[in-house]
Amino acid sequence: MIGGAALWVLAGLGVLSGLMWGAGALGLLHPLVVVSGSMQPGIRTGDLIVGVPLAIEEVERGDVITLMSAQTQKFVTHRVVGIEPADGGFAVVMKGDANDSVDGEPYLVAAGRTVPTPWVVVPGGGYVVETISRPPVAIPLLIALAALVGLAALPSGRPRDDDEADAAASVVPDASVSGGRP
C-alpha cells in the first residue's frame, strides 16, 4: 500500500519534471535558482523562480525580469527602473529591490527578443533543486526509483479476483458425476 502510493507520487514528480524539462527546452519556462538577496523580501536567496517569456517590447517600468549581465556573464533578476529604445533594441536599467543603487550597466536587448519574467516563486525550491542535482544525491535517488519500479512490477504472490474467476471457469466437470459423456 505505502509502496504503491510512493510509486504514484514519484511517478507524478517524474512526469512533472519531464514536462518542466520539455517546457524549458522549448523556451516556455525558465527555472532559475536565486543566489543573492538583492530582491528581498519578495524573492529570497535559495528560492526557485519559474519564469515565462515576455516580449521585450511589452516590458514596462516596474516589471521584474531576468537578463544576462555582460560584466559577470550570469543571470540577474531585478526590477526594471528604466527602458528606452537604443541601437535596434532596448536599453534596460534594472535595480534589485534590496539594493541602494541601480545595476552598474544598462542591459542591451535586441528587438523581437523575449526575456524571462517570474511566473511563480517557490520559496526554498532552489535549495531542493541544487541538492537533488548533486551526483551523491541524484544517483541514490535514481537507484531507489528504479528499485521501486522493479518492486511494483513484481507479482504480488496472491491471486487477483479476475485470476480466480478464470481458474473457476476452466474447471472441466467430471464425467462420472454428470452421468455421461457430453
Side-chain angles (χ1 to χ4, degrees):
M1 181 75 162
I2 292 175
L7 186 61
W8 277 107
V9 168
L10 288 172
L13 287 173
V15 168
L16 180 62
S17 296
L19 289 173
M20 294 235 359
W21 175 84
L26 293 173
L28 302 175
L29 293 178
H30 303 273
L32 302 161
V33 176
V34 179
V35 296
S36 80
S38 65
M39 286 299 290
Q40 290 187 153
I43 301 173
R44 300 183 173 278
T45 302
D47 287 354
L48 174 67
I49 297 173
V50 179
V52 293
L54 176 66
I56 190 63
E57 290 81 5
E58 296 177 23
V59 172
E60 297 177 356
R61 186 181 174 114
D63 289 344
V64 175
I65 62 173
T66 301
L67 294 172
M68 176 74 73
S69 168
Q71 292 175 343
T72 65
Q73 296 301 304
K74 294 186 181 194
F75 287 111
V76 176
T77 301
H78 282 169
R79 191 169 307 280
V80 175
V81 294
I83 183 166
E84 296 179 8
D87 297 329
F90 295 88
V92 182
V93 179
M94 298 198 311
K95 176 185 171 296
D97 289 352
N99 294 349
D100 292 329
S101 59
V102 297
D103 296 356
E105 62 176 325
Y107 300 83
L108 300 176
V109 182
R113 296 255 338 263
T114 60
V115 296
T117 187
W119 173 53
V120 68
V121 177
V122 181
Y127 292 130
V128 174
V129 169
E130 284 183 352
T131 300
I132 64 174
S133 297
R134 293 185 195 136
V137 175
I139 292 170
L141 281 175
L142 289 172
I143 291 170
L145 178 60
L148 273 174
V149 169
L151 288 172
L154 290 175
S156 66
R158 57 181 159 72
R160 297 183 319 209
D161 291 340
D162 57 340
D163 290 342
E164 291 173 3
D166 290 344
S170 65
V171 173
V172 177
D174 187 346
S176 64
V177 176
S178 66
R181 294 197 161 142

